[in-house]
Amino acid sequence: MPSVRVCFVTLLPLCLAAPQAFAQNPVHVGSNAAKSVAPVTLQRSDADIFAATLAGRYAQGVDNPKLAAQAWSRAFFRRTTDTDLYDRATAANLEIGNLGMVVRMAKLVAPNQRPPKAVLALAVEALGQGRYQDVARMLDGQKFSPSLTQFANHLRAYALLGQGQGQKAIDLASQVTGISELDDAALMSRALVLVRAKRPQEAVSLFEKARGLQQDSPAGLRFYSQLLLSLGQSDQAEALLKPLAERGSVKAAAFSEALARVRAGIKGNLALNVQDHVAIGMLTLVEAMQESRPPTETSDFLFLLAFLHPTSDEVNAALGQHLARHGYDELAEPFLERVSSLSPDYVPSRTELAWLIYVRDSKQALLDARALAAKHPSSFAAMTLLADMLAANRLDAEAERTYNTLIKQGETANWSPAETWPLYFGRGGARERLGRWPEALADLRFAKTAAPNQPNVLNYLGYSMADRGENLDEALAMLRNAMRLRPRSGAILDSYGWALYKSGRHEEAATMLERAAGLAPNLAEVADHLGDVYWRTGRHEEARLEWRRALSLTPTAEQIKALEIKLVDGLPPDQSRAAEAAILAQTKSN
């Protein structure tokens, strides 16, 4: 029986074509030979709404948030009195951060119909345009969740600063929700309010309190270093940034330039315009809250800040990196590209962007990584990106040399294993592909010890051991843990299936590899492995189908050669099974 999904997708283009017919000839629907039902006339607006809602549902079904937002918005503007269409259109546009559309729609409905985040968008628009009194008008009397209340209170505080009401702003920013993680998260934003109100020493105390509670926003700490410098405390500013800038992580790159500026005695402009000041202050709040909030809520807050200040490097970097980390690659790219080359966030943002580009063009991503490393040769993040990108493009000898340099740098700086394991993991992969397994194994085990629950490390080490037939029980245990941590990864399920195959558990392997092929249908290695398992279980025709499919999925030159041989000759006899059969036959004959 054909599935509903197939029928729906197949018929959808006909449904979407319907408005043109409706536009010229209203159609009567609802007649039935068995029942006498009064016909319903569909006018053009009805047909357009019908088509748009179909498109919206389809877009959501195929996980295309941009198309969904466009479709639901089109439907709403055809019938602005429909609260259900308004809710769907608002939710879809919030998901992709189209706050301009959210505001436009909100202005067409009654205030009591606006969801909380649409109200916040209206307040953000008013604040960005300098309409400070409207901010309070938008927010007063609204019922928000505790986190939204915290966000709204700080928006109002910055609006009061814009009106010259410093003490009222401080009082409002000091209000507590009674939830410790939210109240702690507000400390740095309160400190920026104090700076704006010309009370710097009180701001220093709040910054220190925030640091003691580990509420460390990169944007806030960089601002704090400039505050210390402005107060003549250059040694304290350097002590703040030095341990953050000289550690083995991409995040550390955000502090390197700030440290260089402090050492050069370059004072930043603490008298920022309201828009810049609000963007940094509110960003410290969002960055501090994100550990205790769902990722989607953090996205919403960051989208609001990008709407407030579209050219803020700090906000664009934070939003782009957050979206990329949570799989919204298409949405992330424009924000990462906006980060200025003069910003401390430039190198981390370009690092994230390079990996997004790698998915569609690995060679271009490598060129970008080389260019970034050439421009920033002393940047740990830029050089790490180059090493990782060389390894990803299978230029393993050059990658190993680059990793060696970085590992020596880490040893000189006395970095901990928790900071250096990515370098050993990368070098271990390069050495494994260069055929130097004992050295690779040592590197990979170092990485696993330092990061025992890192799924990529567990997957690579477990697969490498299983593929060699070594320590199969240990390999299976590692891969089971990797699957627990990342249950929808086709690559990890493939590794576990292959380990089962190597253990002689062919039927279990077939089941697991079929699941892997469903999750990762475009990976040649998965199809290749599934073909091998099918062959061993006597399903020879299915095996050849999978090998042919693997050939169509851009395999490596080595894989192509092996696949072509298997398509002609199949697999050689399983020597372990042949030995078992020989022993059994000898036993019976005796």
Side-chain angles (χ1 to χ4, degrees), residues 306-326:
F307 183 53
L308 170 75
H309 195 344
T311 60
S312 168
D313 285 331
E314 289 87 355
V315 171
N316 284 324
L319 178 53
Q321 291 170 27
H322 176 80
L323 290 170
R325 282 195 298 271
H326 291 90

Side-chain angles (χ1 to χ4, degrees), residues 511-539:
T511 300
M512 187 59 61
L513 287 167
E514 285 168 348
R515 286 178 55 197
L519 289 168
N522 297 321
L523 289 181
E525 192 167 24
V526 177
D528 186 14
H529 287 165
L530 184 54
D532 286 9
V533 172
Y534 280 161
W535 186 272
R536 291 296 183 213
T537 54
R539 298 157 68 178

Side-chain angles (χ1 to χ4, degrees), residues 156-188:
R156 291 179 62 194
Y158 285 110
L160 288 168
L161 285 173
Q163 295 173 273
Q165 300 182 46
Q167 186 57 54
K168 285 187 177 180
I170 293 168
D171 292 343
L172 187 57
S174 301
Q175 288 186 6
V176 296
T177 64
I179 300 173
S180 59
E181 59 263 30
L182 294 180
D183 296 332
D184 293 345
L187 291 172
M188 282 196 179

